Amino acid sequence: MTDRPAAPTPLYLEDLHERQRFVSGTCTVTADEIKAFAAQFDPQPFHLDERAAAASFFGGLAASGWRTAALTMRLLIDGGLPLAGGVIRAGGQLGWPRPTRPGDVLRVECLIEKITPSRSKPDRGMLTVRMETKNQDDEIAQLFIVNVIAFRRSLKKNGSD
């Protein structure tokens, strides 16, 4: 499913800076995967049937936006945003400017726009991240401006490293 690069070293809040960029590996979308996901989670005709899709707003088979979101998450976990403790979202704005189609090769490009250390929880901070899921033509299929929790390294006891 995905082209998985070697697992990067997990990063902590201290390792990150504003304007830092990350790029995931890739995955290729298939018609069978689009239909299987839609059959289970979003059974609308333009996700399930080529003829119905051709006559729809989309003019052809289109993946559910939720399928694109699920693929985005997989690409992030496989190395697109290597955060220690995982990619834990805390709200954001999500949109799908263009449909994901069979044959599309997706990748995720992340830009850290803002870092805000927590005042009440010193073990973490909040990142504002612009996540663009792009296809092989560099077109944005999904745009997610999201708040993500980033953890600090644990302080070592007795001052040892």
Side-chain angles (χ1 to χ4, degrees), residues 10 12 15 20 45-46 49 59 66 90 110 121 130 132 135 144:
Y12 292 86
D15 302 320
Q20 192 170 6
F46 42 82
D49 177 81
W66 301 114
C110 297
K121 297 178 181 172
R130 179 183 180 92
E132 296 178 346
N135 65 20
F144 197 10

Side-chain angles (χ1 to χ4, degrees), residues 45-57:
F46 42 82
H47 299 320
L48 292 167
D49 177 81
E50 281 89 350
R51 280 191 193 166
S56 76
F57 168 83

Side-chain angles (χ1 to χ4, degrees), residues 111-160:
L111 172 68
I112 297 176
E113 294 186 332
K114 185 177 179 184
I115 299 174
T116 308
S118 175
R119 291 182 187 184
S120 62
K121 297 178 181 172
D123 67 329
R124 68 191 75 166
M126 190 68 65
L127 310 175
T128 301
V129 182
R130 179 183 180 92
M131 296 180 182
E132 296 178 346
T133 305
K134 294 183 176 181
N135 65 20
Q136 68 283 351
D137 297 320
D138 216 31
E139 300 165 325
I140 298 174
Q142 178 179 289
L143 175 60
F144 197 10
I145 309 297
V146 62
N147 295 318
V148 178
I149 296 170
F151 294 99
R152 292 184 184 274
R153 282 187 176 76
S154 297
L155 299 176
K156 305 291 180 183
K157 293 186 182 202
N158 301 327
S160 62

Side-chain angles (χ1 to χ4, degrees), residues 2-156:
T2 61
D3 168 28
R4 296 185 186 141
T9 302
L11 300 175
Y12 292 86
L13 188 67
E14 298 88 344
D15 302 320
L16 304 169
H17 59 84
E18 292 179 1
R19 311 306 300 165
Q20 192 170 6
R21 293 183 176 276
F22 298 91
V23 179
S24 74
T26 62
C27 70
T28 302
V29 180
T30 69
D32 288 343
E33 290 171 342
I34 288 172
K35 293 175 188 178
F37 183 92
Q40 188 170 5
F41 299 108
D42 192 358
Q44 298 186 74
F46 42 82
H47 299 320
L48 292 167
D49 177 81
E50 281 89 350
R51 280 191 193 166
S56 76
F57 168 83
F58 294 102
L61 192 66
S64 168
W66 301 114
R67 176 66 178 150
T68 302
L71 289 169
T72 297
M73 189 66 192
R74 181 59 192 242
L75 290 167
L76 290 171
I77 298 307
D78 285 350
L81 189 59
L83 297 178
V87 179
I88 303 170
R89 296 183 182 124
Q93 296 176 334
L94 175 64
W96 297 288
R98 70 179 317 99
T100 297
R101 307 276 189 186
D104 278 351
V105 179
L106 301 180
R107 72 181 183 286
V108 183
E109 297 181 7
C110 297
L111 172 68
I112 297 176
E113 294 186 332
K114 185 177 179 184
I115 299 174
T116 308
S118 175
R119 291 182 187 184
S120 62
K121 297 178 181 172
D123 67 329
R124 68 191 75 166
M126 190 68 65
L127 310 175
T128 301
V129 182
R130 179 183 180 92
M131 296 180 182
E132 296 178 346
T133 305
K134 294 183 176 181
N135 65 20
Q136 68 283 351
D137 297 320
D138 216 31
E139 300 165 325
I140 298 174
Q142 178 179 289
L143 175 60
F144 197 10
I145 309 297
V146 62
N147 295 318
V148 178
I149 296 170
F151 294 99
R152 292 184 184 274
R153 282 187 176 76
S154 297
L155 299 176
K156 305 291 180 183

